[in-house]
């Protein structure tokens, strides 16, 4: 049986050349770049609540980091470092090897270095804190949208919820288990988007957070929403875990955003506009009649 320290050394102690000091001391030491603000975000994933018992370790390693990268994307920040707190029922080496591979394969793709963490025995839980950098004043906050701004969505909505309902649908299950964080899009939206959020709890609910923070309303046409093939209306509007970006931008940014979509090879779809008035989402069906946005995911329910 591996000891706590042998386990950390074998699976998680990796070089972190861009940190002053990485894994192995009482704290990591970091030197943020000049002119940058630090963006910090934490996500806690619990077995039975955020992932099924017996979930594949490699996919979990990917997803745990991906959801954090998605938060950096939504701020327009470049991810740089992460810490990893793990509670494990046992030091299962096959599980650890799979988890570490899923984590580090994704970390390498985005130049993220693991700089510390905590490891203990307990019910399976994964908590990652991610640190990123964004040029001072250019972060994509939720509060910047104004009436008249266009509303945009990346990729397609509803795939992850469809994958949860139909595990046999391989393409949809991949959206659920191995989401692709839109990090490059987030960075490229600096100076273009007026507000942004990642779609983690359902499009309608997450857009609602922008509306509240920006004190604007929104008008969205359901037919214009980019939909994962086969996803139901409920899955498109209220299914969580898509990790696409929803963002607002002034109308004079349209050409720039369309060019960005081409450049990234990623669909960016204009789905509606911000409105004066209370922070409410008005959804219209194809016949112009209002549709109820439904309810998104509530982790406290
Ligand atoms: P402390 O006693 O200060 O909490 P630990 O003994 O828990 O430190 O951890 C030893 C070192 O290993 C620390 O540098 C810590 O950041 C790192 N560490 C512990 N668990 C992990 C992990 N799961 N991933 C990465 N680094 C870890
Ligand atoms: Mg510790």
């Amino acid at each position: 049986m591996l000891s706590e320290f042998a386990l950390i050394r074998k699976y998680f102690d990796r070089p972190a050349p861009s940190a002053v000091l990485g894994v192995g001391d009482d704290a990591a030491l970091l030197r943020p770049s000049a002119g940058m603000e630090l963006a910090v975000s934490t996500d806690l994933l619990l077995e039975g609540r955020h992932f099924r018992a017996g979930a594949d370790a490699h996919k979990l390693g990917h997803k745990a980091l991906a959801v954090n990268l998605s938060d950096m994307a939504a701020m327009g920040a470049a991810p740089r470092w992460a810490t990893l707190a793990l509670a494990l029922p046992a030091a299962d080496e096959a599980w650890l090897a799979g988890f570490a591979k899923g984590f580090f394969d994704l970390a390498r793709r985005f130049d993220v270095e693991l700089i510390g963490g905590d490891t203990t025995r307990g019910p399976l839980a994964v908590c990652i804190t991610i640190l990123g950098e964004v040029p001072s004043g250019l972060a994509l906050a939720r509060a910047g949208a104004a009436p008249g701004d266009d509303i945009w969505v990346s990729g397609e909505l509803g795939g992850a919820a469809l994958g949860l309902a139909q595990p046999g649908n391989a393409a949809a299950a991949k959206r659920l288990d191995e989401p692709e964080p839109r990090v490059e899009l987030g960075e490229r939206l600096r100076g273009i988007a007026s507000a942004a959020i990642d779609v983690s709890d359902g499009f309608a609910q997450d857009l609602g957070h922008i509306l509240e923070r920006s004190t604007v309303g929104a008008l969205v046409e359901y037919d214009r929403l980019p939909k994962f093939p086969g996803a139901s209306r409920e899955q498109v509007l209220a299914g969580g875990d898509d990790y696409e970006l929803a963002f607002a931008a002034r109308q004079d940014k349209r050409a720039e955003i369309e060019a960005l979509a081409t450049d990234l090879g990623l669909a960016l779809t204009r789905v509606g506009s911000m409105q004066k008035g209370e922070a409410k989402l008005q959804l219209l069906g194809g016949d112009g009649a209002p549709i109820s946005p439904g309810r998104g995911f509530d982790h406290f329910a």
Side-chain angles (χ1 to χ4, degrees), residues 28 31-32 68-69 82 103 118 120 159 161 174 187 191 198 252 263 272:
R31 190 183 299 116
N68 280 275
L69 292 172
F103 179 96
D118 203 21
T120 184
K174 193 166 169 67
E187 290 182 52
D198 63 326
D252 61 11
D263 219 41

Side-chain angles (χ1 to χ4, degrees), residues 259-294:
L260 180 56
T262 307
D263 219 41
L264 296 176
L266 174 65
L268 298 176
T269 308
R270 191 157 51 81
V271 300
S273 59
M274 297 301 186
Q275 310 284 315
K276 262 205 200 85
E278 62 171 324
K280 253 191 78 178
L281 167 59
Q282 255 187 291
L283 255 177
L284 298 184
D287 51 4
I291 294 179
S292 159

Side-chain angles (χ1 to χ4, degrees), residues 4-279:
E4 174 187 341
F5 302 105
L7 180 164
I8 294 166
R9 210 172 310 118
K10 184 161 177 188
Y11 292 104
F12 299 114
D13 189 353
R14 297 287 181 277
S18 86
V20 179
L21 190 59
V23 169
D25 217 303
D26 297 308
L29 298 174
L30 306 173
R31 190 183 299 116
S33 313
M36 304 293 257
E37 286 165 353
L38 267 185
V40 183
S41 177
T42 297
D43 264 295
L44 171 62
L45 301 185
L46 298 181
E47 184 177 68
R49 178 141 287 253
H50 303 92
F51 58 91
R52 312 180 260 274
D56 178 82
H58 183 274
K59 289 175 181 158
L60 185 60
H62 173 102
K63 184 160 180 175
L65 182 57
V67 304
N68 280 275
L69 292 172
S70 179
D71 284 320
M72 291 292 104
M75 293 303 287
R80 296 212 49 195
W81 303 290
T83 64
L84 168 65
L86 258 185
L88 297 170
D92 175 340
E93 291 218 48
W95 192 94
L96 280 160
F99 180 88
K101 183 160 182 2
F103 179 96
F104 283 115
D105 281 353
L106 186 63
R108 207 171 304 116
R109 279 181 49 210
F110 289 102
D111 286 325
V112 169
E113 296 173 352
L114 183 63
I115 49 146
D118 203 21
T119 306
T120 184
R121 192 185 293 273
L124 186 58
V126 184
C127 183
I128 293 177
T129 295
I130 191 139
L131 298 105
E133 293 185 318
V134 57
S136 291
L138 288 188
L140 307 177
R142 295 177 179 181
D149 285 2
D150 292 322
I151 301 169
W152 297 79
V153 183
S154 69
E156 292 171 335
L157 300 170
L162 180 62
L164 188 63
Q166 296 177 6
N169 181 334
K174 193 166 169 67
R175 293 303 317 260
L176 175 68
D177 293 334
E178 295 168 281
E180 177 66 20
R182 304 303 188 191
V183 171
E184 195 177 357
L185 172 61
E187 290 182 52
R188 300 278 296 271
L189 285 174
R190 291 174 192 158
I192 296 178
S194 52
I197 192 166
D198 63 326
V199 180
S200 56
D201 296 329
F203 170 76
Q205 177 167 313
D206 288 323
L207 182 64
H209 295 309
I210 291 186
L211 304 186
E212 270 165 36
R213 287 279 168 166
S214 301
T215 50
V216 292
L219 188 64
V220 169
E221 290 172 54
Y222 179 75
D223 286 355
R224 283 164 68 177
L225 287 175
K227 302 165 188 76
F228 190 90
S232 69
R233 188 152 96 187
E234 162 106 30
Q235 287 162 344
V236 168
L237 292 174
D241 269 1
D242 279 321
Y243 301 104
E244 296 296 348
L245 295 188
F247 59 96
R250 315 278 177 246
Q251 291 176 23
D252 61 11
K253 304 287 188 189
R254 284 179 190 174
E256 228 176 318
I257 292 170
E258 278 153 17
L260 180 56
T262 307
D263 219 41
L264 296 176
L266 174 65
L268 298 176
T269 308
R270 191 157 51 81
V271 300
S273 59
M274 297 301 186
Q275 310 284 315
K276 262 205 200 85
E278 62 171 324

